[in-house]
Amino acid sequence: MTAAALTLFVLTALAPVAWLAADRATRDRHLFGLLPSTVASLLRAVGLVVLAGLASATAIVATAAGPATGLWAHAAPVIAAAAAVTGGGPIVRAVLALGGVRPAPAADDSADEDPQSTTEVGPLRGGRVIGYLERLAVVSTLMAGWPEGLAIILAVKGLARYPELRAPQASEQFIMGTFVSVLWAIGMAGIEHLLTN
């Protein structure tokens, strides 16, 4: 059972990479006669269901399994950190899109696009890297048994973003993104705890 839980955990860490690759491959393309926005929405929904399903299945199997021992006990925290970092980004983007925040155009998007399309992009920049660091810090503090570190992480993030939060819709984007990101990292730390204790 422990091996099955760890396998599901590895799949939880790898699935977001496939999700992002599929998202990039389908961006701005008509597939099956559907508009690109419809394809992106469908991909988001499928990705959310698959990733949430993998994480849930991992937690259920980990609950039934005994604690990991040996190499697997040392691998579980690394897998948890990888799953927290890789999975949080796609989930945050999907939730932000559901909340009405349009994603920023990719760097390789053509410059002749409608200029109106870039005006609705969320106001907070640098969120991807900040999110990676935030989730890594959250999962690390929880796995280290120092939950008080969450307060420091969130305070630093809030103080650093404070000047930007006055822009229209910035505070909503900040709150939605932070909550989803932190909850995902907490979930991955929880699965690691189930696997190692």
Side-chain angles (χ1 to χ4, degrees):
M1 275 301 237
T2 304
L6 287 164
T7 302
L8 285 169
F9 210 13
V10 169
L11 290 174
T12 303
L14 295 177
V17 177
W19 182 3
L20 292 174
D23 183 49
R24 180 161 290 286
T26 59
R27 186 178 294 159
D28 299 330
R29 293 199 178 108
H30 293 273
L31 296 176
F32 310 113
L34 299 172
L35 295 172
S37 61
T38 305
V39 172
S41 296
L42 288 172
L43 185 61
R44 245 183 252 116
V46 169
L48 275 172
V49 168
V50 167
L51 198 51
L54 277 170
S56 299
T58 303
I60 291 167
V61 174
T63 301
T69 58
L71 176 65
W72 294 115
H74 297 293
V78 174
I79 298 167
V85 171
T86 62
I91 286 181
V92 167
R93 282 191 290 284
V95 169
L96 287 175
L98 290 171
V101 178
R102 292 189 55 196
D108 61 351
D109 286 349
S110 63
D112 59 355
E113 284 189 41
D114 177 18
Q116 296 286 358
S117 67
T118 59
T119 59
E120 295 181 40
V121 173
L124 300 176
R125 300 292 184 185
R128 180 174 295 158
V129 174
I130 292 170
Y132 292 155
L133 296 172
E134 172 189 38
R135 288 186 296 277
L136 183 60
V138 167
V139 76
S140 297
T141 60
L142 292 176
M143 289 188 302
W146 189 51
E148 296 85 0
L150 289 175
I152 295 169
I153 294 164
L154 295 175
V156 167
K157 184 178 179 185
L159 288 173
R161 286 288 200 187
Y162 181 74
E164 298 169 294
L165 294 178
R166 294 184 183 204
Q169 290 86 32
S171 58
E172 292 87 357
Q173 180 183 350
F174 177 80
I175 291 169
M176 286 190 304
T178 299
F179 277 172
V180 172
S181 181
V182 169
L183 288 174
W184 178 259
I186 289 170
M188 297 304 102
I191 292 173
E192 183 273 340
H193 181 76
L194 290 171
L195 283 167
T196 57
N197 294 310

